[in-house]
């Protein structure tokens, strides 16, 4: 089975989708997805669920809601940046990224950065979950 192709939209594109829906309130989410595919020259249209989530979270994209949650920062920013860049490269090359692959790559980058056991995270599923929420 071939891996699912991801449709990655920027914050600006999400804002445009919200504006298009405001200007055309009778437009269905499926037709809005087709509009986004054509407008942003995407390989495939975003799923209807993706459009629904974007519309539900429109205030976050438009910056009108204050962020009520405390932002958590990484203890090892260099490690976070290296892993985040690796994930982006994998996505760009359409390589599936799993929790286990992120853990392993994190361990490899920690070793390259000479992080000792006291400095490096434990690379648990919880670490990967928090990492994915930050990125």
């Amino acid at each position: 089975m071939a891996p699912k192709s991801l449709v990655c939209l920027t914050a600006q594109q999400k804002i445009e989708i919200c504006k298009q829906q405001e200007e055309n309130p009778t437009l269905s989410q499926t037709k809005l997805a087709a509009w986004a595919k054509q407008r942003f020259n995407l390989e495939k249209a975003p799923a209807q669920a993706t459009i629904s989530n974007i519309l539900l979270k429109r205030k976050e994209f438009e910056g009108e809601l204050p962020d009520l949650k405390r932002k958590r920062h990484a203890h090892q920013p260099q490690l976070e940046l290296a892993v985040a860049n690796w994930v982006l490269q994998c996505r760009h090359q359409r390589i599936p990224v799993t929790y286990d692959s992120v853990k392993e790559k994190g361990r490899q980058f920690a070793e390259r950065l000479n992080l000792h056991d006291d400095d490096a995270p434990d690379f648990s599923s919880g670490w990967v979950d928090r990492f994915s929420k930050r990125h």
Side-chain angles (χ1 to χ4, degrees):
M1 187 168 110
K4 286 185 177 181
S5 60
L6 298 174
V7 176
C8 296
L9 297 168
T10 66
Q12 185 60 40
Q13 289 171 328
K14 292 174 184 179
I15 290 169
E16 282 190 51
I17 289 171
C18 293
K19 286 181 181 177
Q20 178 69 11
Q21 194 273 333
E22 285 174 10
E23 293 170 4
N24 302 290
T26 59
L27 201 61
S28 71
Q29 292 178 358
T30 305
K31 288 183 180 176
L32 195 56
W35 172 86
K37 178 183 186 262
Q38 187 263 333
R39 170 74 172 92
F40 306 128
N41 197 23
L42 301 172
E43 206 170 290
K44 72 174 216 169
Q48 178 273 325
T50 301
I51 298 296
S52 178
N53 287 333
I54 290 170
L55 296 175
L56 286 172
K57 296 177 181 179
R58 76 171 31 142
K59 299 293 183 203
E60 293 175 23
F61 303 123
E62 295 169 351
E64 292 180 15
L65 275 182
D67 192 5
L68 301 176
K69 291 185 179 182
R70 184 174 80 176
K71 293 281 185 197
R72 304 241 180 213
H73 300 286
H75 295 287
Q76 295 294 336
Q78 292 173 322
L79 176 64
E80 288 270 326
L81 182 62
V83 176
N85 284 336
W86 173 78
V87 169
L88 286 174
Q89 288 174 354
C90 287
R91 281 187 158 185
H92 182 71
Q93 296 171 359
R94 300 195 185 288
I95 298 171
V97 178
T98 64
Y99 266 47
D100 290 334
S101 64
V102 173
K103 288 181 202 178
E104 182 57 34
K105 196 49 90 165
R107 285 186 192 99
Q108 290 173 7
F109 282 126
E111 190 175 308
R112 288 183 194 166
L113 292 168
N114 294 322
L115 296 179
H116 303 289
D117 290 339
D118 297 341
D119 297 331
D122 59 0
F123 301 109
S124 63
S125 293
W127 176 83
V128 177
D129 189 47
R130 290 184 301 276
F131 169 83
S132 65
K133 287 178 182 176
R134 285 191 295 270
H135 300 281

